[in-house]
Amino acid sequence: MIKTTSNAVLIQPDTIQKHDRGGGASTTPLVTRGVGATAFITGYTEFQGGAQIPFHHHNCEESVMLVEGSAIFDIDGQEFAVKAQDVTFIPPGVPHRFRNASQTEPMKILWIYGSQNATRTLMDSGETRPIAAEHGKQG
């Protein structure tokens, strides 16, 4: 991470520790409170072939962009094919998940949460965790 005199930051993801989410998915926090963000947080999640994350929802708005690969976006009882550079907007409290559409090729999503206090609630267990706590403090 390189911080300028104006407190702008250049983040170099290859220097940041990834966090294993299980099931072939790992997350890298990018813009966080630790680098000075006050209104939102960002990061990316990489999925190995066939990987998926469980159904969950958040307490704030979320936007996700598919950076590479191909994905399936599950929401509202529907499946949507997602290609690179497609972007989603997900309102708070709406259960959803992403799956890698390929069994062999990786995929990567960039996510943005509209709150420093974003949480993830897993639908199966009802467990709620702060996003920032899951990924540690960067910076």
Side-chain angles (χ1 to χ4, degrees):
M1 176 175 77
I2 300 168
K3 198 169 223 176
T4 70
T5 55
S6 67
N7 288 325
V9 177
L10 169 63
I11 298 167
Q12 299 165 312
D14 59 345
T15 66
I16 300 170
Q17 179 182 349
K18 292 180 184 180
H19 301 276
D20 186 5
R21 297 214 19 213
S26 63
T27 294
T28 302
L30 296 172
V31 175
T32 64
R33 185 175 285 136
V35 300
T38 60
F40 66 94
I41 57 176
T42 72
Y44 64 85
T45 300
E46 297 176 81
F47 296 71
Q48 297 306 310
Q52 62 186 22
I53 54 177
F55 274 99
H56 62 281
H57 65 82
H58 305 284
N59 64 334
C60 62
E61 296 174 336
E62 178 186 24
S63 182
V64 173
M65 178 179 170
L66 183 65
V67 176
E68 66 182 58
S70 58
I72 304 296
F73 174 46
D74 295 311
I75 192 165
D76 295 335
Q78 298 181 35
E79 295 181 355
F80 297 93
V82 181
K83 65 184 183 321
Q85 298 187 12
D86 285 352
V87 177
T88 65
F89 168 75
I90 307 160
V94 177
H96 62 280
R97 73 173 176 181
F98 289 87
R99 297 182 278 145
N100 189 340
S102 171
Q103 293 299 311
T104 57
E105 298 298 317
M107 70 168 244
K108 185 186 292 186
I109 60 173
L110 170 70
W111 45 260
I112 303 164
Y113 295 113
S115 172
Q116 283 284 315
N117 300 311
T119 62
R120 175 181 295 107
T121 300
L122 300 176
M123 299 310 297
D124 286 346
S125 66
E127 178 185 6
T128 299
R129 289 191 209 166
I131 301 292
E134 289 182 357
H135 307 308
K137 279 186 133 182
Q138 177 206 341

